[in-house]
Each structure stands twice: as C-alpha cells, then as structure tokens.
Amino acid sequence: MAVARRVQLSRDGVVAVVEICVIAALYYGSARVGLLQQLVRGQVTPLWPPSGIAVAGLLLCGSRVWPGVALGAFLVNVSLGPSLPAVLAITAGNTLAPLCSYALLRRMGFRNELDRLRDALALIFLGAFTGMLVSATTGSGTLVLAGVLSTAGFWPTWSVWWTGDAMGVLVVTPLLLVLSTARRPTDVLPLRWLEGLLLLAATVSVGVVETGRAPLMFLGFPLLIWAAFRFQLAGAAPCALAVSTFAIITAARRSGPFSGHDLLTNMITLQAFNGSASLTALLVAAVISERNETQREIARACGQLAEMVAKIATGDHPPAHPGEQGQKDSNDGPTDTKRSSPHP
C-alpha cells in the first residue's frame, strides 16, 4: 500500500511538472505574439493572450500550475523590464491577477462548460474586469516607480494594460475551455458541416472587409450571433477571437474607423468594439445553451410522464404495500359482517 502510494505521488508530481512547463511555454509563446501589436513602451498591448492562457490553465489544472504562470511572465519581462526588481514586481502582478480571477470564479461556482448565463457573467465581470485590475495596477505603478514612465502617463498606460489583459481573458479563455472538451463529432448531418464551412468563409470575408479602408467593423456582429445561436460556445469563442484579431489589425494600420485619431481615441474605440463583441458572443452562447438544456429536461420529464401513464393504462402498477393491504382488509371485514348479519 505504501509503495503504491509513493508511486502515485511520484506520478502526480511528474504530471504537475509537465503541466507547469506547458503553461510556461504557452504563456511565453503567446506573449511574443501579443507584443507584435504593442502600443506603450514595447510591452503593453490591446490584447494580451497570456492572461487568458493563465486563467484557463488554472481553471483546467488547478492552482498547482501557478509556477508556470510566474515562470512564463518572468521570461517575457526579463528582456523588457528596466531592472530586476521591476521585472520581479511586474511578474508578481501578472501571476497574482489570474490567481485572483481563479479564486473569484471558483467561489462563484464557475463551470468550465460555460453553459449557464451566470458562468458567462462571472467570467466577464470577475475573471476579466476584476481580476486583471491587479496586473494593470502593479505593472503601471512599477513603471512609474522605476522612472521609465511619467506620472502623467500612468492612467493611459493603466487603461491599455487593464483592457488588454481583460480582453485576453474574454477572448482566449473561452476558446481554450472549448478546446479542452473538444471531441471528434459523430453523427453530424452534412448540412451541419456545410453551415460550419459557410460560417468560416463568412468570417474570413468579413475580416478582409474590416481591415480595409471602409469603417465596416459592425459586420462582425451578425457572425457572432450566428455562431453563438447555432454552435453555442464552440462557434462563438473562435469567431470572437477572429473578429477581435481583425479589429486589432485594423487599428494597427490606422485604417477604417481608426484613421485620423490619436492613440487614446483609437484605444477607446478598439476596446469598446472588442468588449462588445466578446460580451455578445459569450452571453448569447450561454443563453442558448441554457435554453437547450431546459428543452432537454422538459423532454425527459415528458418521457417519464408518458411511461407512467402507459403503465397505469395497462394496469402494470406495483401492488399495494402489505401494511396498506392489511389495513384495507381490516376495514373491509366489519363492513361485510354487518351486511351479512340479520336485523334484530
């Protein structure tokens, strides 16, 4: 028994180390991609995918993988930070933020399936908007204290940092949660495959139009509603990521609705659009999932009721309880005696 327990503990330790290394690698790799669209001091972006990867990793693997988040954050910031103490402070903020989001979501009874409206609202307002306040405040404050950012630049940097981390949670975390439960579809009708291909083609086409000169970013919303209504989170999460990515590319090119405006105005426009797109996708997908589950429960209840009615109609019902049968006999006995006895 002791040997088996030691083997199990050793196996769990190996699995934990592998998970930590995977989280760190994904964090670092996605950070390098996110930095391609940096806006402030080479390290603040409008979409920070590592925050979404960190929250998803904690939700899927538990709090034991937090060293992977810390390691990935340190490797990213060590080449960007002005000094080692500043890097450690920023790393601490980037690690504590997803841990806070994870703790808040678990306290609210969050389910990784995101099939309830309360789960979508919790991810939006607790996981993204509330938890990411920690990293934005810590990072922006550290840059000011380190002397690489003026006091006047604190709030603009803080706003970009916070919205970038929040958008990472809103866009990337749902996608990873979907991928973690993805299975090869079976018994899917050909028309369903055709609809999925049409949605993919429409998303790419709208993306090409969005990145052009005309301000046609609103064309992404019908796609989000279509994806959420027909495919729930499995379609809404990738579609929201695609629409947000096209919007960021448009903002980086300063075309469409982002032409002729300063950085602050473009950031407000971009984050308002990305936030609205993510909110629309998550909320519609959650509502449709709840509706489908309610319909399934009603169908199950109707089936059980039909079985009960069929049994009653055919007389196939369980016999009376022995105690009840005895009580019935005792009640019937005196009545029969009274009927058979002659009048005095």
Side-chain angles (χ1 to χ4, degrees), residues 221-258:
F221 283 94
L223 295 177
L224 294 171
I225 296 174
W226 178 12
F229 189 82
R230 295 291 295 163
F231 300 96
Q232 286 77 64
L233 189 64
C239 191
L241 176 60
V243 170
S244 298
T245 301
F246 290 135
I248 293 173
I249 295 174
T250 305
R253 294 179 178 179
R254 293 184 177 272
S255 59
F258 303 101

PDB file of all heavy atoms in Angstrom, residues 221-258:
ATOM      1  N   PHE A 221     -20.795  41.524 -36.035  1.00  0.00           N
ATOM      2  CA  PHE A 221     -21.802  41.157 -35.047  1.00  0.00           C
ATOM      3  C   PHE A 221     -22.803  40.127 -35.560  1.00  0.00           C
ATOM      4  O   PHE A 221     -23.174  39.210 -34.807  1.00  0.00           O
ATOM      5  CB  PHE A 221     -22.505  42.408 -34.529  1.00  0.00           C
ATOM      6  CG  PHE A 221     -21.668  43.176 -33.546  1.00  0.00           C
ATOM      7  CD1 PHE A 221     -20.855  44.224 -33.968  1.00  0.00           C
ATOM      8  CD2 PHE A 221     -21.667  42.842 -32.208  1.00  0.00           C
ATOM      9  CE1 PHE A 221     -20.080  44.921 -33.066  1.00  0.00           C
ATOM     10  CE2 PHE A 221     -20.892  43.538 -31.295  1.00  0.00           C
ATOM     11  CZ  PHE A 221     -20.092  44.579 -31.720  1.00  0.00           C
ATOM     12  N   PRO A 222     -23.304  40.225 -36.785  1.00  0.00           N
ATOM     13  CA  PRO A 222     -24.171  39.133 -37.260  1.00  0.00           C
ATOM     14  C   PRO A 222     -23.480  37.768 -37.248  1.00  0.00           C
ATOM     15  O   PRO A 222     -24.125  36.754 -36.956  1.00  0.00           O
ATOM     16  CB  PRO A 222     -24.528  39.574 -38.685  1.00  0.00           C
ATOM     17  CG  PRO A 222     -24.387  41.057 -38.673  1.00  0.00           C
ATOM     18  CD  PRO A 222     -23.252  41.338 -37.751  1.00  0.00           C
ATOM     19  N   LEU A 223     -22.186  37.748 -37.530  1.00  0.00           N
ATOM     20  CA  LEU A 223     -21.455  36.484 -37.482  1.00  0.00           C
ATOM     21  C   LEU A 223     -21.393  35.938 -36.060  1.00  0.00           C
ATOM     22  O   LEU A 223     -21.538  34.731 -35.835  1.00  0.00           O
ATOM     23  CB  LEU A 223     -20.036  36.679 -38.031  1.00  0.00           C
ATOM     24  CG  LEU A 223     -19.915  37.047 -39.507  1.00  0.00           C
ATOM     25  CD1 LEU A 223     -18.460  37.270 -39.865  1.00  0.00           C
ATOM     26  CD2 LEU A 223     -20.518  35.963 -40.391  1.00  0.00           C
ATOM     27  N   LEU A 224     -21.156  36.823 -35.086  1.00  0.00           N
ATOM     28  CA  LEU A 224     -21.095  36.386 -33.695  1.00  0.00           C
ATOM     29  C   LEU A 224     -22.425  35.799 -33.234  1.00  0.00           C
ATOM     30  O   LEU A 224     -22.466  34.764 -32.559  1.00  0.00           O
ATOM     31  CB  LEU A 224     -20.697  37.560 -32.802  1.00  0.00           C
ATOM     32  CG  LEU A 224     -19.285  38.121 -33.008  1.00  0.00           C
ATOM     33  CD1 LEU A 224     -19.109  39.412 -32.219  1.00  0.00           C
ATOM     34  CD2 LEU A 224     -18.244  37.103 -32.575  1.00  0.00           C
ATOM     35  N   ILE A 225     -23.517  36.453 -33.611  1.00  0.00           N
ATOM     36  CA  ILE A 225     -24.834  35.961 -33.223  1.00  0.00           C
ATOM     37  C   ILE A 225     -25.133  34.632 -33.919  1.00  0.00           C
ATOM     38  O   ILE A 225     -25.672  33.695 -33.313  1.00  0.00           O
ATOM     39  CB  ILE A 225     -25.904  37.012 -33.557  1.00  0.00           C
ATOM     40  CG1 ILE A 225     -25.663  38.285 -32.730  1.00  0.00           C
ATOM     41  CG2 ILE A 225     -27.297  36.468 -33.304  1.00  0.00           C
ATOM     42  CD1 ILE A 225     -26.568  39.430 -33.090  1.00  0.00           C
ATOM     43  N   TRP A 226     -24.787  34.539 -35.181  1.00  0.00           N
ATOM     44  CA  TRP A 226     -24.971  33.292 -35.930  1.00  0.00           C
ATOM     45  C   TRP A 226     -24.188  32.159 -35.269  1.00  0.00           C
ATOM     46  O   TRP A 226     -24.728  31.062 -35.025  1.00  0.00           O
ATOM     47  CB  TRP A 226     -24.530  33.516 -37.367  1.00  0.00           C
ATOM     48  CG  TRP A 226     -24.610  32.298 -38.263  1.00  0.00           C
ATOM     49  CD1 TRP A 226     -25.235  31.115 -38.005  1.00  0.00           C
ATOM     50  CD2 TRP A 226     -24.018  32.164 -39.555  1.00  0.00           C
ATOM     51  NE1 TRP A 226     -25.075  30.246 -39.060  1.00  0.00           N
ATOM     52  CE2 TRP A 226     -24.339  30.865 -40.023  1.00  0.00           C
ATOM     53  CE3 TRP A 226     -23.269  33.012 -40.376  1.00  0.00           C
ATOM     54  CZ2 TRP A 226     -23.904  30.401 -41.263  1.00  0.00           C
ATOM     55  CZ3 TRP A 226     -22.853  32.537 -41.614  1.00  0.00           C
ATOM     56  CH2 TRP A 226     -23.168  31.253 -42.049  1.00  0.00           C
ATOM     57  N   ALA A 227     -22.913  32.401 -34.990  1.00  0.00           N
ATOM     58  CA  ALA A 227     -22.071  31.360 -34.396  1.00  0.00           C
ATOM     59  C   ALA A 227     -22.580  30.947 -33.019  1.00  0.00           C
ATOM     60  O   ALA A 227     -22.640  29.750 -32.693  1.00  0.00           O
ATOM     61  CB  ALA A 227     -20.632  31.862 -34.294  1.00  0.00           C
ATOM     62  N   ALA A 228     -22.962  31.924 -32.192  1.00  0.00           N
ATOM     63  CA  ALA A 228     -23.434  31.600 -30.844  1.00  0.00           C
ATOM     64  C   ALA A 228     -24.775  30.900 -30.860  1.00  0.00           C
ATOM     65  O   ALA A 228     -25.015  29.965 -30.087  1.00  0.00           O
ATOM     66  CB  ALA A 228     -23.504  32.878 -30.010  1.00  0.00           C
ATOM     67  N   PHE A 229     -25.668  31.324 -31.754  1.00  0.00           N
ATOM     68  CA  PHE A 229     -27.010  30.758 -31.798  1.00  0.00           C
ATOM     69  C   PHE A 229     -27.004  29.330 -32.324  1.00  0.00           C
ATOM     70  O   PHE A 229     -27.727  28.465 -31.812  1.00  0.00           O
ATOM     71  CB  PHE A 229     -27.910  31.633 -32.679  1.00  0.00           C
ATOM     72  CG  PHE A 229     -29.356  31.261 -32.619  1.00  0.00           C
ATOM     73  CD1 PHE A 229     -30.166  31.706 -31.587  1.00  0.00           C
ATOM     74  CD2 PHE A 229     -29.920  30.448 -33.599  1.00  0.00           C
ATOM     75  CE1 PHE A 229     -31.504  31.346 -31.522  1.00  0.00           C
ATOM     76  CE2 PHE A 229     -31.252  30.093 -33.548  1.00  0.00           C
ATOM     77  CZ  PHE A 229     -32.051  30.542 -32.499  1.00  0.00           C
ATOM     78  N   ARG A 230     -26.180  29.052 -33.322  1.00  0.00           N
ATOM     79  CA  ARG A 230     -26.199  27.743 -33.958  1.00  0.00           C
ATOM     80  C   ARG A 230     -25.186  26.764 -33.371  1.00  0.00           C
ATOM     81  O   ARG A 230     -25.411  25.562 -33.371  1.00  0.00           O
ATOM     82  CB  ARG A 230     -25.932  27.909 -35.460  1.00  0.00           C
ATOM     83  CG  ARG A 230     -27.021  28.670 -36.188  1.00  0.00           C
ATOM     84  CD  ARG A 230     -28.302  27.857 -36.240  1.00  0.00           C
ATOM     85  NE  ARG A 230     -28.097  26.645 -37.054  1.00  0.00           N
ATOM     86  CZ  ARG A 230     -28.904  25.597 -37.015  1.00  0.00           C
ATOM     87  NH1 ARG A 230     -29.932  25.587 -36.198  1.00  0.00           N
ATOM     88  NH2 ARG A 230     -28.677  24.558 -37.792  1.00  0.00           N
ATOM     89  N   PHE A 231     -24.038  27.271 -32.875  1.00  0.00           N
ATOM     90  CA  PHE A 231     -22.978  26.377 -32.403  1.00  0.00           C
ATOM     91  C   PHE A 231     -22.603  26.615 -30.945  1.00  0.00           C
ATOM     92  O   PHE A 231     -21.669  25.988 -30.451  1.00  0.00           O
ATOM     93  CB  PHE A 231     -21.736  26.535 -33.287  1.00  0.00           C
ATOM     94  CG  PHE A 231     -21.971  26.214 -34.732  1.00  0.00           C
ATOM     95  CD1 PHE A 231     -22.260  27.210 -35.648  1.00  0.00           C
ATOM     96  CD2 PHE A 231     -21.924  24.902 -35.178  1.00  0.00           C
ATOM     97  CE1 PHE A 231     -22.476  26.926 -36.991  1.00  0.00           C
ATOM     98  CE2 PHE A 231     -22.145  24.594 -36.512  1.00  0.00           C
ATOM     99  CZ  PHE A 231     -22.422  25.612 -37.429  1.00  0.00           C
ATOM    100  N   GLN A 232     -23.303  27.526 -30.275  1.00  0.00           N
ATOM    101  CA  GLN A 232     -23.035  27.876 -28.888  1.00  0.00           C
ATOM    102  C   GLN A 232     -21.556  28.279 -28.703  1.00  0.00           C
ATOM    103  O   GLN A 232     -20.966  28.886 -29.579  1.00  0.00           O
ATOM    104  CB  GLN A 232     -23.437  26.731 -27.949  1.00  0.00           C
ATOM    105  CG  GLN A 232     -24.932  26.575 -27.771  1.00  0.00           C
ATOM    106  CD  GLN A 232     -25.607  25.911 -28.957  1.00  0.00           C
ATOM    107  OE1 GLN A 232     -25.336  24.759 -29.267  1.00  0.00           O
ATOM    108  NE2 GLN A 232     -26.485  26.617 -29.630  1.00  0.00           N
ATOM    109  N   LEU A 233     -20.974  27.905 -27.574  1.00  0.00           N
ATOM    110  CA  LEU A 233     -19.622  28.379 -27.261  1.00  0.00           C
ATOM    111  C   LEU A 233     -18.589  27.847 -28.242  1.00  0.00           C
ATOM    112  O   LEU A 233     -17.593  28.512 -28.533  1.00  0.00           O
ATOM    113  CB  LEU A 233     -19.248  27.970 -25.838  1.00  0.00           C
ATOM    114  CG  LEU A 233     -17.962  28.570 -25.285  1.00  0.00           C
ATOM    115  CD1 LEU A 233     -18.065  30.077 -25.160  1.00  0.00           C
ATOM    116  CD2 LEU A 233     -17.610  27.947 -23.939  1.00  0.00           C
ATOM    117  N   ALA A 234     -18.816  26.645 -28.777  1.00  0.00           N
ATOM    118  CA  ALA A 234     -17.864  26.054 -29.724  1.00  0.00           C
ATOM    119  C   ALA A 234     -17.717  26.897 -30.981  1.00  0.00           C
ATOM    120  O   ALA A 234     -16.665  26.899 -31.620  1.00  0.00           O
ATOM    121  CB  ALA A 234     -18.300  24.642 -30.098  1.00  0.00           C
ATOM    122  N   GLY A 235     -18.752  27.629 -31.361  1.00  0.00           N
ATOM    123  CA  GLY A 235     -18.652  28.513 -32.514  1.00  0.00           C
ATOM    124  C   GLY A 235     -18.404  29.954 -32.132  1.00  0.00           C
ATOM    125  O   GLY A 235     -17.712  30.687 -32.847  1.00  0.00           O
ATOM    126  N   ALA A 236     -18.952  30.383 -30.971  1.00  0.00           N
ATOM    127  CA  ALA A 236     -18.827  31.779 -30.572  1.00  0.00           C
ATOM    128  C   ALA A 236     -17.407  32.143 -30.179  1.00  0.00           C
ATOM    129  O   ALA A 236     -16.929  33.234 -30.498  1.00  0.00           O
ATOM    130  CB  ALA A 236     -19.784  32.071 -29.416  1.00  0.00           C
ATOM    131  N   ALA A 237     -16.704  31.250 -29.465  1.00  0.00           N
ATOM    132  CA  ALA A 237     -15.356  31.570 -28.987  1.00  0.00           C
ATOM    133  C   ALA A 237     -14.360  31.785 -30.142  1.00  0.00           C
ATOM    134  O   ALA A 237     -13.662  32.806 -30.171  1.00  0.00           O
ATOM    135  CB  ALA A 237     -14.867  30.474 -28.045  1.00  0.00           C
ATOM    136  N   PRO A 238     -14.250  30.869 -31.108  1.00  0.00           N
ATOM    137  CA  PRO A 238     -13.330  31.143 -32.231  1.00  0.00           C
ATOM    138  C   PRO A 238     -13.734  32.353 -33.052  1.00  0.00           C
ATOM    139  O   PRO A 238     -12.872  33.109 -33.517  1.00  0.00           O
ATOM    140  CB  PRO A 238     -13.397  29.858 -33.073  1.00  0.00           C
ATOM    141  CG  PRO A 238     -13.934  28.820 -32.162  1.00  0.00           C
ATOM    142  CD  PRO A 238     -14.849  29.528 -31.220  1.00  0.00           C
ATOM    143  N   CYS A 239     -15.032  32.547 -33.230  1.00  0.00           N
ATOM    144  CA  CYS A 239     -15.496  33.692 -34.024  1.00  0.00           C
ATOM    145  C   CYS A 239     -15.160  35.008 -33.325  1.00  0.00           C
ATOM    146  O   CYS A 239     -14.735  35.975 -33.970  1.00  0.00           O
ATOM    147  CB  CYS A 239     -16.992  33.577 -34.259  1.00  0.00           C
ATOM    148  SG  CYS A 239     -17.640  34.743 -35.469  1.00  0.00           S
ATOM    149  N   ALA A 240     -15.329  35.057 -32.006  1.00  0.00           N
ATOM    150  CA  ALA A 240     -14.986  36.269 -31.262  1.00  0.00           C
ATOM    151  C   ALA A 240     -13.490  36.557 -31.344  1.00  0.00           C
ATOM    152  O   ALA A 240     -13.078  37.719 -31.478  1.00  0.00           O
ATOM    153  CB  ALA A 240     -15.416  36.125 -29.805  1.00  0.00           C
ATOM    154  N   LEU A 241     -12.662  35.523 -31.259  1.00  0.00           N
ATOM    155  CA  LEU A 241     -11.220  35.716 -31.386  1.00  0.00           C
ATOM    156  C   LEU A 241     -10.861  36.257 -32.764  1.00  0.00           C
ATOM    157  O   LEU A 241     -10.030  37.176 -32.891  1.00  0.00           O
ATOM    158  CB  LEU A 241     -10.494  34.395 -31.128  1.00  0.00           C
ATOM    159  CG  LEU A 241      -8.972  34.417 -31.312  1.00  0.00           C
ATOM    160  CD1 LEU A 241      -8.335  35.413 -30.359  1.00  0.00           C
ATOM    161  CD2 LEU A 241      -8.390  33.025 -31.103  1.00  0.00           C
ATOM    162  N   ALA A 242     -11.482  35.711 -33.812  1.00  0.00           N
ATOM    163  CA  ALA A 242     -11.192  36.171 -35.174  1.00  0.00           C
ATOM    164  C   ALA A 242     -11.614  37.618 -35.376  1.00  0.00           C
ATOM    165  O   ALA A 242     -10.855  38.437 -35.916  1.00  0.00           O
ATOM    166  CB  ALA A 242     -11.889  35.262 -36.184  1.00  0.00           C
ATOM    167  N   VAL A 243     -12.820  37.962 -34.913  1.00  0.00           N
ATOM    168  CA  VAL A 243     -13.312  39.323 -35.090  1.00  0.00           C
ATOM    169  C   VAL A 243     -12.436  40.312 -34.339  1.00  0.00           C
ATOM    170  O   VAL A 243     -12.101  41.391 -34.849  1.00  0.00           O
ATOM    171  CB  VAL A 243     -14.783  39.410 -34.625  1.00  0.00           C
ATOM    172  CG1 VAL A 243     -15.246  40.856 -34.565  1.00  0.00           C
ATOM    173  CG2 VAL A 243     -15.682  38.623 -35.576  1.00  0.00           C
ATOM    174  N   SER A 244     -12.030  39.982 -33.122  1.00  0.00           N
ATOM    175  CA  SER A 244     -11.167  40.877 -32.341  1.00  0.00           C
ATOM    176  C   SER A 244      -9.791  41.014 -32.979  1.00  0.00           C
ATOM    177  O   SER A 244      -9.207  42.113 -32.993  1.00  0.00           O
ATOM    178  CB  SER A 244     -11.035  40.346 -30.913  1.00  0.00           C
ATOM    179  OG  SER A 244     -12.277  40.319 -30.257  1.00  0.00           O
ATOM    180  N   THR A 245      -9.263  39.928 -33.508  1.00  0.00           N
ATOM    181  CA  THR A 245      -7.951  39.995 -34.162  1.00  0.00           C
ATOM    182  C   THR A 245      -7.992  40.900 -35.383  1.00  0.00           C
ATOM    183  O   THR A 245      -7.080  41.718 -35.597  1.00  0.00           O
ATOM    184  CB  THR A 245      -7.501  38.587 -34.568  1.00  0.00           C
ATOM    185  OG1 THR A 245      -7.439  37.754 -33.406  1.00  0.00           O
ATOM    186  CG2 THR A 245      -6.134  38.631 -35.232  1.00  0.00           C
ATOM    187  N   PHE A 246      -9.045  40.781 -36.181  1.00  0.00           N
ATOM    188  CA  PHE A 246      -9.174  41.659 -37.349  1.00  0.00           C
ATOM    189  C   PHE A 246      -9.299  43.120 -36.921  1.00  0.00           C
ATOM    190  O   PHE A 246      -8.754  44.017 -37.586  1.00  0.00           O
ATOM    191  CB  PHE A 246     -10.385  41.242 -38.182  1.00  0.00           C
ATOM    192  CG  PHE A 246     -10.217  39.936 -38.891  1.00  0.00           C
ATOM    193  CD1 PHE A 246     -11.234  38.981 -38.877  1.00  0.00           C
ATOM    194  CD2 PHE A 246      -9.052  39.642 -39.575  1.00  0.00           C
ATOM    195  CE1 PHE A 246     -11.087  37.773 -39.535  1.00  0.00           C
ATOM    196  CE2 PHE A 246      -8.891  38.432 -40.237  1.00  0.00           C
ATOM    197  CZ  PHE A 246      -9.909  37.498 -40.209  1.00  0.00           C
ATOM    198  N   ALA A 247      -9.992  43.380 -35.833  1.00  0.00           N
ATOM    199  CA  ALA A 247     -10.127  44.755 -35.347  1.00  0.00           C
ATOM    200  C   ALA A 247      -8.783  45.311 -34.897  1.00  0.00           C
ATOM    201  O   ALA A 247      -8.465  46.483 -35.148  1.00  0.00           O
ATOM    202  CB  ALA A 247     -11.136  44.809 -34.207  1.00  0.00           C
ATOM    203  N   ILE A 248      -7.971  44.494 -34.238  1.00  0.00           N
ATOM    204  CA  ILE A 248      -6.645  44.947 -33.792  1.00  0.00           C
ATOM    205  C   ILE A 248      -5.754  45.249 -34.996  1.00  0.00           C
ATOM    206  O   ILE A 248      -5.007  46.243 -35.005  1.00  0.00           O
ATOM    207  CB  ILE A 248      -6.012  43.884 -32.886  1.00  0.00           C
ATOM    208  CG1 ILE A 248      -6.801  43.779 -31.581  1.00  0.00           C
ATOM    209  CG2 ILE A 248      -4.558  44.211 -32.601  1.00  0.00           C
ATOM    210  CD1 ILE A 248      -6.361  42.645 -30.689  1.00  0.00           C
ATOM    211  N   ILE A 249      -5.810  44.410 -36.012  1.00  0.00           N
ATOM    212  CA  ILE A 249      -5.018  44.666 -37.221  1.00  0.00           C
ATOM    213  C   ILE A 249      -5.448  45.976 -37.875  1.00  0.00           C
ATOM    214  O   ILE A 249      -4.616  46.777 -38.319  1.00  0.00           O
ATOM    215  CB  ILE A 249      -5.172  43.485 -38.206  1.00  0.00           C
ATOM    216  CG1 ILE A 249      -4.559  42.219 -37.607  1.00  0.00           C
ATOM    217  CG2 ILE A 249      -4.527  43.811 -39.542  1.00  0.00           C
ATOM    218  CD1 ILE A 249      -4.793  40.980 -38.444  1.00  0.00           C
ATOM    219  N   THR A 250      -6.757  46.214 -37.894  1.00  0.00           N
ATOM    220  CA  THR A 250      -7.264  47.465 -38.467  1.00  0.00           C
ATOM    221  C   THR A 250      -6.771  48.666 -37.676  1.00  0.00           C
ATOM    222  O   THR A 250      -6.380  49.692 -38.243  1.00  0.00           O
ATOM    223  CB  THR A 250      -8.808  47.448 -38.482  1.00  0.00           C
ATOM    224  OG1 THR A 250      -9.259  46.277 -39.167  1.00  0.00           O
ATOM    225  CG2 THR A 250      -9.353  48.685 -39.183  1.00  0.00           C
ATOM    226  N   ALA A 251      -6.775  48.546 -36.333  1.00  0.00           N
ATOM    227  CA  ALA A 251      -6.291  49.651 -35.500  1.00  0.00           C
ATOM    228  C   ALA A 251      -4.800  49.881 -35.691  1.00  0.00           C
ATOM    229  O   ALA A 251      -4.336  51.027 -35.711  1.00  0.00           O
ATOM    230  CB  ALA A 251      -6.604  49.361 -34.037  1.00  0.00           C
ATOM    231  N   ALA A 252      -4.022  48.800 -35.828  1.00  0.00           N
ATOM    232  CA  ALA A 252      -2.583  48.955 -36.036  1.00  0.00           C
ATOM    233  C   ALA A 252      -2.287  49.634 -37.370  1.00  0.00           C
ATOM    234  O   ALA A 252      -1.321  50.405 -37.476  1.00  0.00           O
ATOM    235  CB  ALA A 252      -1.899  47.590 -35.975  1.00  0.00           C
ATOM    236  N   ARG A 253      -3.108  49.388 -38.363  1.00  0.00           N
ATOM    237  CA  ARG A 253      -2.920  50.040 -39.666  1.00  0.00           C
ATOM    238  C   ARG A 253      -3.489  51.451 -39.703  1.00  0.00           C
ATOM    239  O   ARG A 253      -3.276  52.182 -40.671  1.00  0.00           O
ATOM    240  CB  ARG A 253      -3.594  49.201 -40.760  1.00  0.00           C
ATOM    241  CG  ARG A 253      -2.963  47.845 -40.994  1.00  0.00           C
ATOM    242  CD  ARG A 253      -3.724  47.102 -42.080  1.00  0.00           C
ATOM    243  NE  ARG A 253      -3.128  45.810 -42.381  1.00  0.00           N
ATOM    244  CZ  ARG A 253      -3.609  44.944 -43.287  1.00  0.00           C
ATOM    245  NH1 ARG A 253      -4.717  45.266 -43.962  1.00  0.00           N
ATOM    246  NH2 ARG A 253      -3.011  43.802 -43.500  1.00  0.00           N
ATOM    247  N   ARG A 254      -4.243  51.826 -38.660  1.00  0.00           N
ATOM    248  CA  ARG A 254      -4.907  53.135 -38.598  1.00  0.00           C
ATOM    249  C   ARG A 254      -5.788  53.362 -39.825  1.00  0.00           C
ATOM    250  O   ARG A 254      -5.775  54.430 -40.441  1.00  0.00           O
ATOM    251  CB  ARG A 254      -3.890  54.265 -38.454  1.00  0.00           C
ATOM    252  CG  ARG A 254      -3.151  54.242 -37.121  1.00  0.00           C
ATOM    253  CD  ARG A 254      -2.236  55.430 -36.972  1.00  0.00           C
ATOM    254  NE  ARG A 254      -1.586  55.441 -35.676  1.00  0.00           N
ATOM    255  CZ  ARG A 254      -2.075  55.986 -34.572  1.00  0.00           C
ATOM    256  NH1 ARG A 254      -3.268  56.567 -34.623  1.00  0.00           N
ATOM    257  NH2 ARG A 254      -1.418  55.957 -33.437  1.00  0.00           N
ATOM    258  N   SER A 255      -6.552  52.331 -40.154  1.00  0.00           N
ATOM    259  CA  SER A 255      -7.486  52.433 -41.274  1.00  0.00           C
ATOM    260  C   SER A 255      -8.904  52.275 -40.753  1.00  0.00           C
ATOM    261  O   SER A 255      -9.131  52.009 -39.573  1.00  0.00           O
ATOM    262  CB  SER A 255      -7.180  51.350 -42.318  1.00  0.00           C
ATOM    263  OG  SER A 255      -7.282  50.051 -41.756  1.00  0.00           O
ATOM    264  N   GLY A 256      -9.885  52.436 -41.641  1.00  0.00           N
ATOM    265  CA  GLY A 256     -11.275  52.307 -41.240  1.00  0.00           C
ATOM    266  C   GLY A 256     -11.643  53.343 -40.193  1.00  0.00           C
ATOM    267  O   GLY A 256     -11.310  54.536 -40.314  1.00  0.00           O
ATOM    268  N   PRO A 257     -12.289  52.940 -39.102  1.00  0.00           N
ATOM    269  CA  PRO A 257     -12.693  53.903 -38.073  1.00  0.00           C
ATOM    270  C   PRO A 257     -11.546  54.421 -37.228  1.00  0.00           C
ATOM    271  O   PRO A 257     -11.747  55.305 -36.393  1.00  0.00           O
ATOM    272  CB  PRO A 257     -13.673  53.084 -37.210  1.00  0.00           C
ATOM    273  CG  PRO A 257     -13.241  51.673 -37.398  1.00  0.00           C
ATOM    274  CD  PRO A 257     -12.764  51.581 -38.812  1.00  0.00           C
ATOM    275  N   PHE A 258     -10.330  53.908 -37.433  1.00  0.00           N
ATOM    276  CA  PHE A 258      -9.177  54.318 -36.635  1.00  0.00           C
ATOM    277  C   PHE A 258      -8.295  55.345 -37.342  1.00  0.00           C
ATOM    278  O   PHE A 258      -7.258  55.737 -36.805  1.00  0.00           O
ATOM    279  CB  PHE A 258      -8.331  53.093 -36.274  1.00  0.00           C
ATOM    280  CG  PHE A 258      -9.097  52.030 -35.543  1.00  0.00           C
ATOM    281  CD1 PHE A 258      -9.557  50.906 -36.207  1.00  0.00           C
ATOM    282  CD2 PHE A 258      -9.381  52.155 -34.194  1.00  0.00           C
ATOM    283  CE1 PHE A 258     -10.256  49.918 -35.548  1.00  0.00           C
ATOM    284  CE2 PHE A 258     -10.091  51.174 -33.518  1.00  0.00           C
ATOM    285  CZ  PHE A 258     -10.530  50.050 -34.200  1.00  0.00           C
TER     286      PHE A 258
END
